[in-house]
Amino acid sequence: MSRPVRMSLPTRAPTWVSTRRLFEEKLQDLHKCTDFNHIKEVHAQIIKRNLHNDLYVAPKLISAFSLCHQMNLAVNVFNQIQDPNVHLYNTLIRAHVQNSQSLKAFATFFDMQKNGLFADNFTYPFLLKACNGKGWLPTVQMIHCHVEKYGFFGDLFVPNSLIDSYSKCGLLGVNYAMKLFMEMGEKDLVSWNSMIGGLVKAGDLGRARKLFDEMAERDAVSWNTILDGYVKAGEMSQAFNLFEKMPERNVVSWSTMVSGYCKTGDMEMARMLFDKMPFKNLVTWTIIISGFAEKGLAKEATTLYNQMEAAGLKPDDGTLISILAACAESGLLVLGKKVHASIKKIRIKCSVNVSNALVDMYAKCGRVDKALSIFNEMSMRDLVSWNCMLQGLAMHGHGEKAIQLFSKMQQEGFKPDKVTLIAILCACTHAGFVDQGLSYFNSMERDHGIVPHIEHYGCMIDLLGRGGRLEEAFRLVQSMPMEPNDVIWGTLLGACRVHNAVPLAEKVLDRLITLEQSDPGNYSMLSNIFAAAGDWNSVANMRLQMKSTGVQKPSGASSIELDDEVHEFTVFDKSHPKTDKIYQILVKLGQDLKQVAYAPEADL
């Protein structure tokens, strides 16, 4: 008799298996996650499963919170562990460093030592990342002693980190780095590149190139580091020679060269290299567009910006801010408006930094109304936002509006910094509010805890000088806690010219000559003061003195934006392609002015 056939039904895996596997997958990459909401969900599951004390889970959670800049939560996770190990301490130290909390990183390190735990070969490189600047040199030396004491030089990552940190501590630090480099028995490519990079940062291109030439093996970082050194020093011939010798050029190499030629003003060479690039990224496009914008070449800059968009590249915050800053520098409103239109087209909401750049650009291009409109529409503002708007109002003479805005800023809880006070003092200067400016200056340290810098004194000298209070301005210069520079004395000399204060002008020029003997503007200004006072003998003597010392005043320049291009002119300039037509118009204007009996000033 045949046995009945049994059908096996498909079994369903228990749900707890798939849930656990899913949770384990979430944990595996948690330390790389930047989605704060997702991290909070996983954190809740960790607490629910009673894994918050797990020494495998806690470091991942701390790293995740660190990437989201949630350091309070990261510290809370750490504090829940009763017996933290070195790995957990290292994770928290690294998190503090990543969030620019250097002092807290070292506090964690000292707490680790207090609890009887010894640092390992990962601890010190993390701490060294927190050391940046001349003031950190003693700390780097202290870490160096620890590394030697506990024998961590065997791991090349540690001495390489020391070289990098020493190199960030100024010229003296670079010398310590070089000493360490020479003493190292074993060196890898990172050691050489770090040392060359340090020398380049210190401006010691000679030693940097010598080390580069001694390298048995070089990579793209080696070539690009020394190339960047030549470019930043403005030595474009040397840079080009090195560029031609490079076995392989990546986008960094090409971008460095394009940037160098932009900075030296050789836009023809910059454009030629840009066009030859086999591959262009957003950084390269930003460099070339900003370069043309800074030179006031609107047509070229706008054409390139359109090409960038046509290539499918979406400008990020860095690109937008760089181009807008270049437009602000050169007064190139047409490109600034083009960028603003693009922002509206591709973005729902501007970041605070981009909005600040727009406010600054419109203000510096003379569209204060537009700058104020954007400022008022910002849903979030930082101190830079207020400073940009205050500076814009100040430079265009809107003193009362600037003072009102300054009051509103303080009412909304923003504490002014030194830049804010420079802006408000400039606003008082341009509006002629002498007493109010003095009041702000005298309240700086008392009300805001800001010790006046030389820039604030410069504003006050300008304010008092324009107001005709020259003796008061001179006394303020003499009472300054720092040595007055040529800008301070030059500002006072300019005020003397406005008010024809001949005796004081002579005193000021004597001080200026000791600082800037060869500046022709100072001699020319005093000569104009003598001329205004009718002292023609002194004018003649001043001219003779200028000739005898070989001083010659360079021609001033004026610029105007017309048909999407900035045109610059100097006195008797004939370099413009439409020179003949321009001079014909000038002659006609001169004739028309004579008919209305206009008399120009007799300034030299």
Side-chain angles (χ1 to χ4, degrees):
M1 190 175 175
S2 61
R3 298 176 67 181
V5 178
R6 291 183 180 180
M7 299 290 289
S8 60
L9 295 171
T11 57
R12 185 178 177 183
T15 56
W16 66 268
V17 175
S18 57
T19 305
R20 186 179 70 182
R21 187 172 297 162
L22 183 64
F23 178 66
E24 286 173 353
E25 286 174 0
K26 287 180 180 178
L27 280 182
Q28 189 173 359
D29 293 324
L30 181 62
H31 61 290
K32 302 174 187 176
C33 183
T34 56
D35 185 340
F36 184 48
N37 290 326
H38 177 71
I39 295 166
K40 287 195 292 185
E41 288 176 10
V42 176
H43 190 197
Q45 292 178 44
I46 288 169
I47 293 170
K48 186 178 179 181
R49 294 167 188 266
N50 201 29
L51 291 173
H52 55 282
N53 289 316
D54 192 293
L55 286 171
Y56 168 77
V57 174
K60 289 180 175 289
L61 199 52
I62 289 171
S63 296
F65 281 132
S66 169
L67 289 175
C68 295
H69 307 293
Q70 299 291 331
M71 284 306 299
N72 288 336
L73 294 175
V75 172
N76 286 340
V77 172
F78 178 87
N79 289 337
Q80 288 173 5
I81 306 296
Q82 290 183 348
D83 296 309
N85 58 15
V86 176
H87 176 55
L88 191 66
Y89 269 107
N90 286 346
T91 305
L92 186 60
I93 289 169
R94 186 183 191 184
H96 281 307
V97 173
Q98 286 175 336
N99 285 271
S100 303
Q101 298 176 343
S102 301
L103 295 179
K104 289 184 178 180
F106 277 94
T108 305
F109 170 67
F110 295 138
D111 184 62
M112 180 177 78
Q113 289 185 312
K114 182 182 173 183
N115 289 334
L117 291 171
F118 290 98
D120 63 11
N121 56 325
F122 291 101
T123 312
Y124 295 113
F126 291 154
L127 286 171
L128 286 166
K129 287 281 185 186
C131 306
N132 191 356
K134 292 180 182 179
W136 285 95
L137 182 57
T139 308
V140 178
Q141 290 175 306
M142 179 198 75
I143 294 172
H144 190 167
C145 291
H146 276 244
V147 168
E148 280 193 349
K149 182 179 178 180
Y150 296 113
F152 288 120
F153 273 114
D155 182 354
L156 269 174
F157 185 60
V158 179
N160 286 347
S161 297
L162 271 169
I163 289 171
D164 182 60
S165 293
Y166 269 132
S167 299
K168 294 173 182 174
C169 296
L171 188 57
L172 185 59
V174 171
N175 290 333
Y176 279 113
M178 192 68 179
K179 186 174 182 290
L180 172 61
F181 177 80
M182 298 305 290
E183 290 172 354
M184 287 171 65
E186 182 188 354
K187 305 179 185 80
D188 62 4
L189 202 54
V190 176
S191 316
W192 286 88
N193 288 342
S194 297
M195 192 63 251
I196 290 169
L199 290 166
V200 165
K201 281 177 192 171
D204 194 344
L205 280 175
R207 280 201 293 174
R209 182 59 192 261
K210 187 174 181 293
L211 276 187
F212 176 80
D213 291 337
E214 289 173 5
M215 291 180 76
E217 179 191 356
R218 304 182 187 106
D219 63 0
V221 175
S222 318
W223 287 93
N224 287 334
T225 301
I226 200 76
L227 185 70
D228 185 56
Y230 282 127
V231 165
K232 283 180 177 170
E235 297 182 19
M236 292 309 298
S237 297
Q238 292 274 27
F240 188 75
N241 290 337
L242 188 74
F243 182 73
E244 285 192 310
K245 292 176 184 175
M246 291 179 72
E248 287 184 19
R249 302 173 190 134
N250 58 19
V251 70
V252 176
S253 320
W254 287 93
S255 298
T256 301
M257 290 299 294
V258 172
S259 175
Y261 281 115
C262 285
K263 285 174 182 174
T264 56
D266 191 348
M267 297 311 299
E268 187 178 347
M269 193 70 176
R271 183 60 192 266
M272 185 193 75
L273 285 173
F274 177 80
D275 290 339
K276 283 187 175 183
M277 284 182 71
F279 172 76
K280 303 175 182 76
N281 62 11
L282 194 56
V283 174
T284 320
W285 282 98
T286 303
I287 289 168
I288 193 71
I289 295 167
S290 300
F292 276 107
E294 281 177 7
K295 301 297 177 292
L297 301 169
K299 286 181 181 176
E300 293 86 345
T302 306
T303 300
L304 284 163
Y305 189 83
N306 290 335
Q307 288 174 2
M308 180 185 75
E309 288 190 318
L313 289 168
K314 183 180 176 183
D316 59 12
D317 278 12
T319 298
L320 295 169
I321 292 166
S322 295
I323 296 173
L324 288 169
C327 293
E329 185 71 23
S330 63
L332 208 58
L333 182 60
V334 63
L335 179 59
K337 289 167 73 175
K338 169 74 179 172
V339 173
H340 191 190
S342 295
I343 293 169
K344 288 179 177 177
K345 185 172 68 176
I346 62 175
R347 289 168 176 247
I348 299 171
K349 188 178 179 182
C350 274
S351 70
V352 174
N353 291 334
V354 172
S355 295
N356 291 344
L358 280 168
V359 170
D360 188 53
M361 183 275 297
Y362 276 117
K364 286 180 178 173
C365 289
R367 290 294 307 275
V368 186
D369 56 333
K370 189 68 178 174
L372 200 54
S373 172
I374 293 168
F375 176 82
N376 289 331
E377 288 171 4
M378 290 173 69
S379 56
M380 286 184 64
R381 303 186 189 106
D382 59 13
L383 187 58
V384 176
S385 317
W386 292 93
N387 287 347
C388 286
M389 196 62 251
L390 283 168
Q391 287 170 336
L393 291 168
M395 73 172 68
H396 293 289
H398 300 292
E400 288 187 10
K401 285 184 179 178
I403 289 168
Q404 289 169 6
L405 191 69
F406 181 59
S407 298
K408 185 181 177 184
M409 168 188 150
Q410 292 177 93
Q411 288 168 9
E412 293 193 14
F414 286 91
K415 187 178 179 181
D417 63 3
K418 65 177 186 179
V419 177
T420 317
L421 269 301
I422 289 171
I424 201 66
L425 290 174
C426 284
C428 292
T429 299
H430 290 293
F433 300 154
V434 180
D435 291 330
Q436 197 151 3
L438 276 167
S439 175
Y440 283 127
F441 181 76
N442 293 328
S443 69
M444 281 179 62
E445 198 166 354
R446 183 187 68 236
D447 296 347
H448 308 297
I450 299 170
V451 178
H453 290 62
I454 197 164
E455 295 87 355
H456 301 105
Y457 280 97
C459 291
M460 286 308 302
I461 306 304
D462 193 22
L463 175 66
L464 292 167
R466 290 185 189 217
R469 294 158 69 164
L470 300 179
E471 290 298 331
E472 196 174 342
F474 187 62
R475 286 197 299 273
L476 183 61
V477 173
Q478 292 178 311
S479 68
M480 284 172 61
M482 70 285 293
E483 192 67 30
N485 59 17
D486 58 300
V487 176
I488 296 289
W489 289 114
T491 302
L492 187 53
L493 184 62
C496 290
R497 178 194 170 186
V498 172
H499 298 284
N500 294 325
V502 178
L504 183 57
E506 290 180 292
K507 287 182 189 177
V508 173
L509 184 65
D510 288 340
R511 302 292 183 93
L512 263 172
I513 289 171
T514 60
L515 293 171
E516 274 199 326
Q517 193 168 5
S518 61
D519 186 0
N522 300 327
Y523 292 95
S524 180
M525 198 179 297
L526 184 58
S527 182
N528 288 334
I529 294 169
F530 286 137
D535 188 353
W536 299 108
N537 288 331
S538 296
V539 171
N541 289 335
M542 189 56 60
R543 285 185 171 181
L544 285 171
Q545 191 176 345
M546 290 173 72
K547 285 182 180 179
S548 64
T549 54
V551 171
Q552 188 175 1
K553 185 176 182 291
S555 299
S558 300
S559 60
I560 183 170
E561 184 180 349
L562 184 66
D563 294 333
D564 298 345
E565 190 171 349
V566 175
H567 303 264
E568 188 173 89
F569 301 94
T570 59
V571 178
F572 301 122
D573 190 358
K574 293 187 179 180
S575 61
H576 197 276
K578 295 183 179 179
T579 294
D580 293 339
K581 197 168 183 179
I582 291 168
Y583 275 100
Q584 285 174 14
I585 297 293
L586 285 172
V587 169
K588 180 71 169 60
L589 280 171
Q591 292 169 351
D592 292 343
L593 287 169
K594 284 178 181 177
Q595 288 178 5
V596 294
Y598 170 76
E601 291 183 17
D603 282 355
L604 295 177

